[in-house]
Amino acid sequence: MNELTGPVQIIGTGLLGTSIGLALRAAGVPVWLSDANPEHLRTAVSLGAGEHPPSGGVPQLVVVAVPPLTIAEVVLDALETGAVVTDIGSVKALPLDQVSDQAPESALARYVGSHPMAGSERSGPLAASAALFEGRPWAVTPHVHADPAAVALVEALVRSCGATPVRLSPVEHDLAVARTSHLPHLLAVLAAAQLTDAVPEHLTLSGQGVRDVTRVAGGDPHLYGQIIRANRTTVGDLLRDVRRQLDELIHAVDEPSADTLVEILNRGVAGTQVIPGKHGGPSLETGAVYVLVPDHPGELARLFTDIGEIGVNVEDLHIDHDPARPAGLVELVVESGAAERLRAALGERGWTTHR
Amino acid sequence: MNELTGPVQIIGTGLLGTSIGLALRAAGVPVWLSDANPEHLRTAVSLGAGEHPPSGGVPQLVVVAVPPLTIAEVVLDALETGAVVTDIGSVKALPLDQVSDQAPESALARYVGSHPMAGSERSGPLAASAALFEGRPWAVTPHVHADPAAVALVEALVRSCGATPVRLSPVEHDLAVARTSHLPHLLAVLAAAQLTDAVPEHLTLSGQGVRDVTRVAGGDPHLYGQIIRANRTTVGDLLRDVRRQLDELIHAVDEPSADTLVEILNRGVAGTQVIPGKHGGPSLETGAVYVLVPDHPGELARLFTDIGEIGVNVEDLHIDHDPARPAGLVELVVESGAAERLRAALGERGWTTHR
């Protein structure tokens, strides 16, 4: 049966496990929770992410949401219940190898790895959210002998959480995340590590660029260490690739010849252009309108009332509030064609605006 | 005289030059504009950034806002007027060398380089904003023989634009920006370049991390090529440093030994923690509250009215609007201690919220 009627047993109630529980409960699917950490479990249950499993109950689907090093062992255990089993670890080939080594063929057919591309800098059940997976890609990585019904059930799980299933082989998946996640993470780490050698006064010159580049380097070193080691071969190959390009870059910087350097920088621009827009379409061309919003209660609400009347769609916004100043600078991000119209209309309504 | 009474002559009416003009006009300082590109000049004047210089007029201060390769030549020219001269290029030691080579000592004393740490991905006068420098650091990099009155005048310029002067020697400045700007830029380029080798399906797994790391790599390759080559020695040294650390990283990934890898990742975490908060203090510990906002007009205004009544300060917010869905997900970033209170209070007022 391909319909996700549940119960879904979630093993591991950290950020992701608890968020899946919350999403499934919101979709009306029965959820059982378990965790080696009784405090996490208690928290997840109290948040409404699911219930304790009844004794002797058999789930329709088991979701293994445990740290990387214990995934294979927990998957093997779960397969013994006769349920379909998925794990949501960040690397797919290694746990598959480990599970294949030990599971009988009939059990292995019920194992379909997957990986939700969602998360947050925070961890633990208190940071969980039913909306964590909304609109996000969720890789589904069946091995060649997986039961199609099991694959369909895992894809139903993905959709119930509001995410979009992306079918990839385990090896393809690991290459994809090495490029789009592990390598960027490591390059961010190299950029951030350089900052520890800087004197504080030099750091005052930091702008948005270095904040963006190094943000992801703040993630949990133990968790990322496990993930990267689990994807060691692919990540190692990409790092060697990067090293070759770094040599090329050092040579280009040393030599007065402008062309090679610009060529390398152009490759960078090309790279930014192939990243899909957040919801799958091409990235929207946007412009910004800055509005000074005084620190009185109700000013922000008044701004949005006006924006609503003007009728321009706000794609994103940022508030920059310097505690030393009595007003905040709100940056409204709109489709670039609409920016000037919005700015002028807000100006007419008495707002202080800038481009 | 240290007070900025003007006129200030701005040579170059791109994003930065025009923004300085707009900021000074807002501060009531007379501004004269010139540019080799008559269209940019016309645009900047029509935006209110300044006027055409009267013939025979002598400015109090000249701001040279031209591309890197022409800075020294334009500075030398400007020094002949007897005015104090600053340039706002991204690299300070090289133009100083070039100017020192040719300017007589008395003229050189009136030259004080500087560099506003502000900008945007866009360029040209139409993208300019009087608020561009608000609260931003602006390096002031006098050479050892600069006239203190000239230095004070340039610092007055910085303050008139709402920025904070940061005094550094030219060489110190170049090292600081190599670490906080040029190196992160180049590492972002290396990360982005890897993406051009990926098949589109793999790229669908892209998350916020890779978008953050590679964002800055989208900048103008010709401009950045000039900047990096002007800072070639320092950037080359840092790149060699990075190459050593990359070798260490490759070795750590290849070897089963966990410790070295986690140690390197820990250096990355340490680096993210030394970046100052946007307004100079330590970074605020924040939490997020997610609110589902239906696509009806006025809903966002209603949300802000409620937030105003609840009385929690919103530090930043993001709107994630999937065109395929009838509601947007608004992420409210608040001081972490206030997150739960806000979420609960919004829930009581009928909003659908998540952690």
Side-chain angles (χ1 to χ4, degrees), chain A residues 211 240 243 247 254 317, chain B residues 211 240 243 247 254 276 317:
Chain A
R211 288 181 169 95
R240 285 176 177 80
R243 192 182 184 300
D247 280 337
D254 284 346
L317 73 86
Chain B
R211 289 181 169 96
R240 286 177 175 81
R243 185 167 53 184
D247 282 339
D254 285 346
L317 76 85

Side-chain angles (χ1 to χ4, degrees), chain B residues 287-308:
Chain B
V289 177
Y290 297 86
V291 189
L292 229 60
V293 180
D295 247 350
H296 310 141
E299 284 294 303
L300 216 47
R302 187 166 79 82
L303 175 63
F304 277 95
T305 305
D306 284 351
I307 293 172

Side-chain angles (χ1 to χ4, degrees), chain B residues 279-350:
Chain B
H279 299 288
S283 286
L284 189 66
E285 180 90 25
T286 57
V289 177
Y290 297 86
V291 189
L292 229 60
V293 180
D295 247 350
H296 310 141
E299 284 294 303
L300 216 47
R302 187 166 79 82
L303 175 63
F304 277 95
T305 305
D306 284 351
I307 293 172
E309 285 171 10
I310 293 165
V312 169
N313 195 40
V314 174
E315 298 295 327
D316 198 357
L317 76 85
H318 303 283
I319 300 176
D320 190 15
H321 194 187
D322 184 348
R325 294 168 194 277
L329 195 66
V330 172
E331 178 186 352
L332 302 164
V333 180
V334 299
E335 195 260 313
S336 60
E340 191 47 40
R341 176 162 75 87
L342 176 63
R343 199 199 60 77
L346 286 173
E348 277 165 32
R349 284 166 164 76

